[in-house]
Amino acid sequence: MTTRAEQDRLWIRRYHPRPDAAVRLVCLPHAGGSASFYRPLSAAMPASVDVLAVQYPGRQDRRDEPCIQTLPELAGHITSVLLPWTDRPLVFFGHSLGATLAFEVARRLERDHGVVLHALFASARRAPSCPRTETVHRRDDDGLIEEVRLLSGTDSAILDDIELIRMALPAIRADYHAAETYVYEPGPDLHCPLWSLVGDSDPKVTLDEARAWSRHTDASFGFRVFPGGHFYLTSHQAEVVRLLTAGARPKRRPVEPGRASCP
């Protein structure tokens, strides 16, 4: 049986431990991404917030492990790993695929364990109830690389190194498969405050699709649009950190309450 220490070593990266922090921020990466994407954000967060970045299998120091290709399976693993960390309030920040994962893990924590998040931040992702038919995971390697270039989520120098990018393709393809085969199952709303953050020129999500996250909580809802595309947050880290810091404080007031529908 895997011990907690072994589970944490596999799944959790704690770049700047803050053991006395009152709140924990759990960051879930985008498709093809890794925990290290959140190292700068972790460094920028205040001492009051302990940051845990999730490392999916099949990349970086876990590259020898098989990738997980379905979102429910990945969400189940992450839920189990995070349970021991629920002794303090949790805030989730998920970007792209990570946003849907954050939502599904939050549902499992509420439904199966009675744990309600302090807040959930869904970044650069359409609401779960706004499906699209997408088949990027079925493309050949060149088509998959072109998709990554379009979103500008990887450093251009890495994209120009064909050997490096091809090493990352299995993880990218598996994550796209998980994201694109995900099917939302209607159920109870979350009971935590929920924010939707999006870039105004994101090719993967419309503003209406991002605003429709309001349908998935019965608590307060906030909506913020940034200049930029799918990876707007790399240019607006200070503002994202400000929002996350505010979301980690107790008794947040509702921002832009109301419910939206899919376009």
Side-chain angles (χ1 to χ4, degrees):
M1 183 176 179
T2 306
T3 65
R4 177 184 174 181
E6 291 170 330
Q7 286 278 72
D8 287 349
R9 180 183 59 79
L10 287 173
W11 289 90
I12 302 295
R13 302 294 174 269
R14 207 168 170 210
Y15 297 115
H16 307 90
R18 301 177 178 105
D20 297 326
V23 175
R24 293 191 171 109
L25 170 65
V26 178
C27 298
L28 295 106
H30 54 279
S34 59
S36 61
F37 177 76
Y38 290 113
R39 184 189 286 270
L41 186 146
S42 173
M45 291 300 294
S48 58
V49 182
D50 189 28
V51 180
L52 312 180
V54 175
Q55 184 79 306
Y56 310 145
R59 66 217 67 210
Q60 291 188 333
D61 54 345
R62 300 189 70 183
R63 63 184 176 275
D64 293 332
E65 300 176 48
C67 298
I68 295 176
Q69 300 192 50
T70 68
L71 196 140
E73 182 182 356
L74 192 53
H77 281 289
I78 295 170
T79 302
S80 297
V81 169
L82 290 178
L83 269 177
W85 296 92
T86 59
D87 59 316
R88 299 182 193 178
L90 295 181
V91 174
F92 280 7
F93 179 86
H95 184 74
S96 195
L97 164 69
T100 309
L101 262 176
F103 171 73
E104 286 295 337
V105 174
R107 293 178 102 187
R108 285 160 172 76
L109 287 174
E110 282 200 14
R111 181 190 66 209
D112 301 333
H113 306 285
V115 176
V116 178
L117 296 187
H118 195 65
L120 188 154
F121 288 79
S123 169
R125 185 66 174 166
R126 63 186 179 273
S129 53
C130 294
R132 286 191 194 182
T133 299
E134 295 179 311
T135 57
V136 173
H137 69 279
R138 296 181 185 173
R139 297 181 187 176
D140 62 16
D141 287 354
D142 290 339
L144 198 56
I145 292 171
E146 184 57 35
E147 172 74 6
V148 177
R149 287 186 188 276
L150 172 67
L151 299 182
S152 302
T154 303
D155 185 88
S156 59
I158 295 177
L159 285 172
D160 290 337
D161 188 325
I162 196 64
E163 183 177 350
L164 277 178
I165 194 64
R166 290 194 184 281
M167 285 177 59
L169 281 179
I172 296 172
R173 189 178 301 281
D175 288 355
Y176 267 87
H177 183 277
E180 294 178 344
T181 59
Y182 167 73
V183 178
Y184 166 67
E185 295 184 6
D189 293 338
L190 294 176
H191 300 311
C192 64
L194 194 157
W195 277 80
S196 174
L197 314 180
V198 66
D200 60 5
S201 57
D202 190 334
K204 300 295 287 187
V205 53
T206 68
L207 299 188
D208 285 340
E209 288 173 330
R211 192 180 289 110
W213 278 97
S214 67
R215 302 176 64 195
H216 296 286
T217 183
D218 60 15
S220 62
F221 175 71
F223 182 59
R224 181 65 187 272
V225 181
F226 293 85
H230 195 62
F231 286 89
Y232 71 87
L233 70 169
T234 59
S235 300
H236 300 281
Q237 178 178 283
E239 182 62 14
V240 172
V241 166
R242 187 190 71 78
L243 288 172
L244 291 173
T245 301
R249 297 190 190 115
K251 298 181 181 179
R252 291 174 59 228
R253 293 183 178 180
V255 178
E256 194 178 326
R259 305 173 72 80
S261 59
C262 296

